[in-house]
Amino acid sequence: MAHNKIKAAMSAAVVVLLSTTAAYAGGLERGGYNIDLLFDPSTYAAEAAATYVNPQRELDNVVDIHTAPTSGDLNGRPNDGIGDTEGYWVPRIGVKAGIGDSVDCMADYSQPWGAHTNPGSNWAGANDNIETKIESDNYAATCSYKWDVGQGQFRVIGGAFYQEVGGFKERLVTDLSPFGSPLSGVGRLDLEGSGWGWRTGVAYEIPEYALRASLVYNSAVDLDNLGGTIDLTNTLLPTPGGFVPGTKYDVSSFASMPDSLELKLQTGIAPGWLAFGSVKWTDWSQLQVIQVTANDTSDPRNLPTSLDLLYRDGWTISGGVGHKFNDQWSGAVSLTWDRGTSHGYGTQTDTWTVGTGVSYMPTENVELRLAGAIGILTSGSSGPQTYQGEVVGDDVTYDFGTDIVSAVSTSLKIKF
């Protein structure tokens, strides 16, 4: 029993560590998908985890290149040391139950996707972004069936999830500051939608050696009911008869949250030592330019717009080692590389993260876990790009240096 307890503690430290180092990946990744609780050897288990991520991206050499009379020339505003990102929490809650000797099922809540940039209104790129925030809620159920194969057990995995995604973007549409207008000139887009997805996978385990290999595919989630509003009531819009106040109107759109494929491996390599690693591909390239159209086109002030992302596929590779110190304590260290999804437009360049985590088991039924990570966000620049013959990102250009991201995660598992 003590031997199994030690292996479980080592695996627990690995789980919380990988969750922490993967919480700042490319695209709109936050918590992603995590079904590790399904593999817990206990008949029943419940887990709650929270991760706080604090990216410190700053923008320099900002140039307003869209200086039309309506948006104004913002190049007199601050253009260096612009704080672009906001810290965020990533929660996860799950419960697992074993049914007989062959079936395991789990239900969980998570927030797989999100983003929050908030450079504010007083910078040279305000006509591109003042604040953008995206949030998600994911409700999932996953089961597996296992049977003996050789020295271990083979599993087939399947499940489904329901996802809600929403957010807003504010930007300067009309620069009214030179005229002393009481209107802010800021426009706001709000969107929300929901959809269903599914997962399937396989795994092979030899518990005696703490060996596990799993390959899990998560489908895309089509947000075909994506809709919301555009609020231009604080702006003035040009017409042949002069400037007139904007309107607030309903809009609709479509987007798909990406599918992903992840391979995870772990195995004992020596008494008290565990090696682990993972490779994940995420289809962020399906999010390029999200068109947003007005439901009522009879009013010429009801203008279409778009959310320009221009992502490429994401790749995340992690590896590390875990070690048991005694029957209660174990720890792990890891190195993670995430390929940035931006390539000439946006700030999501490659990220390198080093993490460490510990697991404490005061009893056989309780696990406490704590992990921390620190990483570098590599440097780059952003400017106009051509997509399907159209120029995207022609509002602003900027550079950014090598910046820091940090994260801390804690979790509690109770099993019996």
Side-chain angles (χ1 to χ4, degrees):
M1 177 65 72
H3 188 54
N4 290 334
K5 179 181 175 182
I6 291 169
K7 290 186 293 185
M10 292 174 63
S11 297
V14 169
V15 168
V16 71
L17 178 56
L18 291 179
S19 297
T20 304
T21 55
Y24 190 79
L28 302 176
E29 184 100 11
R30 285 243 169 129
Y33 300 118
N34 188 320
I35 63 168
D36 289 322
L37 184 62
L38 187 69
F39 299 99
D40 191 283
S42 304
T43 303
Y44 301 101
E47 181 181 43
T51 301
Y52 180 74
V53 183
N54 187 28
Q56 296 292 309
R57 178 66 88 190
E58 290 190 351
L59 310 181
D60 297 310
N61 305 318
V62 181
V63 178
D64 175 16
I65 58 175
H66 186 199
T67 57
T70 53
S71 59
D73 185 346
L74 308 183
N75 286 309
R77 299 190 182 191
N79 67 344
D80 278 315
I82 307 300
D84 186 52
T85 51
E86 294 280 344
Y88 55 87
W89 285 94
V90 183
R92 188 179 73 254
I93 301 172
V95 293
K96 176 258 181 182
I99 305 171
D101 295 330
S102 301
V103 176
D104 294 292
C105 289
M106 66 169 284
D108 69 289
Y109 165 80
S110 63
Q111 296 180 354
W113 320 122
H116 193 188
T117 59
N118 188 19
S121 59
N122 188 32
W123 72 298
N127 60 12
D128 177 67
N129 182 36
I130 291 176
E131 182 176 11
T132 300
K133 189 173 185 179
I134 297 173
E135 297 177 305
S136 65
D137 296 292
N138 191 77
Y139 309 89
T142 307
C143 290
S144 70
Y145 180 81
K146 61 187 176 183
W147 65 92
D148 293 339
V149 175
Q151 290 182 274
Q153 294 179 318
F154 187 83
R155 288 183 191 244
V156 292
I157 301 166
F161 43 90
Y162 175 72
Q163 204 164 102
E164 299 173 335
V165 182
F168 68 88
K169 178 175 182 176
E170 294 183 343
R171 71 178 186 88
L172 187 67
V173 175
T174 311
D175 184 15
L176 301 173
S177 56
F179 308 103
S181 172
L183 300 176
S184 66
V186 174
R188 178 180 172 112
L189 166 67
D190 286 271
L191 284 175
E192 61 180 16
S194 59
W196 289 87
W198 54 272
R199 65 170 51 104
T200 186
V202 293
Y204 184 71
E205 303 162 274
I206 304 179
E208 182 180 358
Y209 303 112
L211 184 147
R212 181 195 305 150
S214 65
L215 181 66
V216 177
Y217 171 80
N218 295 281
S219 76
V221 177
D222 291 336
L223 305 176
D224 49 16
N225 59 354
L226 197 59
T229 61
I230 290 179
D231 188 350
L232 299 178
T233 55
N234 281 307
T235 70
L236 294 177
L237 303 178
T239 70
F243 284 87
V244 297
T247 63
K248 183 176 181 179
Y249 51 95
D250 295 331
V251 295
S252 58
S253 184
F254 172 83
S256 288
M257 304 313 295
D259 51 340
S260 64
L261 182 66
E262 184 168 21
L263 173 67
K264 288 186 176 182
L265 302 168
Q266 70 172 54
T267 183
I269 53 176
W273 289 91
L274 182 79
F276 58 90
S278 65
V279 179
K280 181 172 69 174
W281 164 82
T282 307
D283 188 18
W284 286 115
S285 62
Q286 65 179 284
L287 290 176
Q288 296 293 308
V289 175
I290 302 174
Q291 300 293 340
V292 181
T293 58
N295 294 348
D296 177 9
T297 59
S298 61
D299 190 331
R301 296 175 297 174
N302 295 354
L303 304 174
T305 189
S306 64
L307 290 174
D308 303 329
L309 299 174
L310 296 189
Y311 289 151
R312 64 177 176 176
D313 285 356
W315 286 92
T316 305
I317 301 175
S318 294
V321 294
H323 179 59
K324 64 143 180 148
F325 302 108
N326 52 47
D327 286 358
Q328 284 77 42
W329 291 91
S330 65
V333 295
S334 73
L335 175 66
T336 299
W337 169 75
D338 181 81
R339 187 180 82 156
T341 54
S342 299
H343 50 114
Y345 175 75
T347 63
Q348 295 188 5
T349 51
D350 289 9
T351 302
W352 292 88
T353 309
V354 176
T356 183
V358 295
S359 172
Y360 174 59
M361 297 181 65
T363 73
E364 295 179 359
N365 304 106
V366 176
E367 297 176 6
L368 300 170
R369 295 170 285 186
L370 178 67
I374 189 166
I376 58 171
L377 313 174
T378 56
S379 60
S381 60
S382 177
Q385 302 293 317
T386 300
Y387 173 71
Q388 294 184 347
E390 300 290 335
V391 177
V392 175
D394 57 348
D395 292 321
V396 64
T397 65
Y398 50 79
D399 303 319
F400 44 90
T402 300
D403 295 309
I404 299 295
V405 58
S406 57
V408 62
S409 179
T410 184
S411 69
L412 168 66
K413 180 190 287 187
I414 299 174
K415 51 188 180 177
F416 48 94

